[in-house]
Amino acid sequence: MAVPPPLVAGVRAAWRCQWRQLMKGLGPADAAGNYRRPESAFAATPELPATAATAGVHGLIVGRSCPWAHRAWLVWSLRQLAASLELVVVEPDPKAGRWRFDTPYEGADALVELYRRSGGDPKARATVPALYDRPGRRILVNESARLIELLNRWPAPEGAPDLLPEEQAEAISHWRQRLQGTVNDGVYRCGFARTQAAYDRAEAELFASLEAAETALEQGGPWLCGERLTLADVVLFPTLIRLELVYAPLFGCSRRPLWSFPALMSWRARLHALPGVAATCFAQSWRSDYFGALFPLHPSGIVPAGADLATLVAGPAPSRPQP
């Protein structure tokens, strides 16, 4: 029996109203429907702790599915900070809408407890990454852009790369600023857009930046700022490694497949092949957490099949020596 058109129209209108309410829980938007990422609770860059080189004093709290935590995890791994900075991995608890610890950490079962202990707004979401000071019983910083800068200054073994060399500071800053708004936030601005116009703006800016990065790699490379791996590469990688698996199908970022950007494909394969990077990538967690938890975007909760990550990062051998 066919469903009466008035019933279809009524259900559609009711669902759209509920969808708008549910989207408020994912993130705020301005009057034009553009997604705006909330401010971090602990955004100021702290001084490098005097005890940074001492094992057991600080913890870097990350989640496998979060791209913002992924960039901090990458710096931690690339700079070989395991000896002085403990890595603490939290798990998503979608029913409670929070990050939880597998076993209590510093007397807390969930990350939000550390936020409240540190003076964070009890109404705000507790997000990863976060750098925790154990003796002080407080979070030092949770803004990923500032945190990766701090981790680049963290005491590291001899030979660990400097990802923010002074001679490339201007170029790195240019790419970081552009990528943050149009690519890192850009995929979310596509997926969380409230209007068609907001989506169209975000999508156009996203692919314009990918085309600019493609050109930069074609004309220079092997990294975004030339011969050395930098924080510019670090901030782009978590978004592009998730593109086909999550952002293209779920957030509508599918105008051009990444294989149509051969320089970016090679760049991604090159970075993924660096020691320690593959250990920060969890394709199944990304897909299950995004498709399973973002109810307003994917109400069924069904996690669709996707390409194998190893296939996506298989690329030609780097034409230049790796750092």
Short mmCIF file of all heavy atoms in Angstrom, two decimals, residues 13 25 31-32 37 48 129 213 259 267 289:
data_model
loop_
_atom_site.label_atom_id
_atom_site.label_comp_id
_atom_site.label_asym_id
_atom_site.label_seq_id
_atom_site.Cartn_x
_atom_site.Cartn_y
_atom_site.Cartn_z
N ALA A 13 8.81 16.93 7.42
CA ALA A 13 8.91 18.20 8.15
C ALA A 13 9.29 17.96 9.61
O ALA A 13 10.12 18.69 10.18
CB ALA A 13 7.59 18.95 8.07
N GLY A 25 23.67 19.53 18.87
CA GLY A 25 24.51 18.75 19.76
C GLY A 25 25.86 18.39 19.15
O GLY A 25 26.81 18.13 19.87
N ALA A 31 24.22 32.10 11.74
CA ALA A 31 22.90 32.34 11.18
C ALA A 31 22.78 31.88 9.74
O ALA A 31 21.68 31.60 9.25
CB ALA A 31 22.56 33.83 11.28
N ALA A 32 23.91 31.79 9.03
CA ALA A 32 23.89 31.35 7.64
C ALA A 32 24.04 29.84 7.49
O ALA A 32 24.11 29.33 6.37
CB ALA A 32 25.00 32.06 6.85
N ARG A 37 33.49 25.54 14.78
CA ARG A 37 34.05 24.66 15.81
C ARG A 37 34.11 25.39 17.15
O ARG A 37 34.58 26.53 17.23
CB ARG A 37 35.46 24.21 15.41
CG ARG A 37 36.12 23.29 16.44
CD ARG A 37 37.37 22.65 15.89
NE ARG A 37 37.05 21.78 14.77
CZ ARG A 37 36.56 20.55 14.91
NH1 ARG A 37 36.34 20.05 16.12
NH2 ARG A 37 36.30 19.82 13.86
N LEU A 48 56.94 25.22 28.51
CA LEU A 48 57.43 23.86 28.55
C LEU A 48 57.72 23.49 30.01
O LEU A 48 58.51 24.18 30.68
CB LEU A 48 58.71 23.71 27.72
CG LEU A 48 59.30 22.30 27.64
CD1 LEU A 48 58.38 21.40 26.83
CD2 LEU A 48 60.70 22.33 27.02
N PRO A 129 42.76 16.01 21.85
CA PRO A 129 43.77 15.54 22.80
C PRO A 129 43.83 16.44 24.03
O PRO A 129 43.29 17.55 24.03
CB PRO A 129 45.07 15.66 21.99
CG PRO A 129 44.82 16.87 21.12
CD PRO A 129 43.37 16.79 20.73
N ALA A 213 47.47 22.24 -2.59
CA ALA A 213 48.46 21.33 -2.02
C ALA A 213 49.04 20.42 -3.09
O ALA A 213 50.25 20.13 -3.11
CB ALA A 213 47.83 20.50 -0.90
N TRP A 259 42.45 9.72 -5.65
CA TRP A 259 43.35 9.20 -6.68
C TRP A 259 43.50 10.15 -7.86
O TRP A 259 44.42 10.00 -8.67
CB TRP A 259 42.93 7.81 -7.15
CG TRP A 259 41.53 7.65 -7.66
CD1 TRP A 259 40.48 7.08 -7.02
CD2 TRP A 259 41.03 8.06 -8.95
NE1 TRP A 259 39.35 7.11 -7.81
CE2 TRP A 259 39.67 7.70 -9.00
CE3 TRP A 259 41.59 8.68 -10.06
CZ2 TRP A 259 38.86 7.94 -10.10
CZ3 TRP A 259 40.79 8.94 -11.17
CH2 TRP A 259 39.44 8.57 -11.18
N TRP A 267 52.26 11.55 -1.54
CA TRP A 267 52.62 12.19 -0.27
C TRP A 267 52.05 11.41 0.91
O TRP A 267 52.73 11.17 1.91
CB TRP A 267 52.11 13.63 -0.28
CG TRP A 267 52.13 14.32 1.05
CD1 TRP A 267 53.15 15.04 1.58
CD2 TRP A 267 51.07 14.34 2.01
NE1 TRP A 267 52.79 15.52 2.83
CE2 TRP A 267 51.52 15.10 3.11
CE3 TRP A 267 49.79 13.78 2.05
CZ2 TRP A 267 50.73 15.32 4.23
CZ3 TRP A 267 49.00 13.99 3.16
CH2 TRP A 267 49.47 14.76 4.24
N ASP A 289 33.17 4.53 14.70
CA ASP A 289 32.85 5.68 15.55
C ASP A 289 32.10 6.76 14.79
O ASP A 289 31.17 7.37 15.32
CB ASP A 289 34.13 6.26 16.17
CG ASP A 289 34.75 5.33 17.20
OD1 ASP A 289 34.10 4.32 17.54
OD2 ASP A 289 35.86 5.61 17.67
#
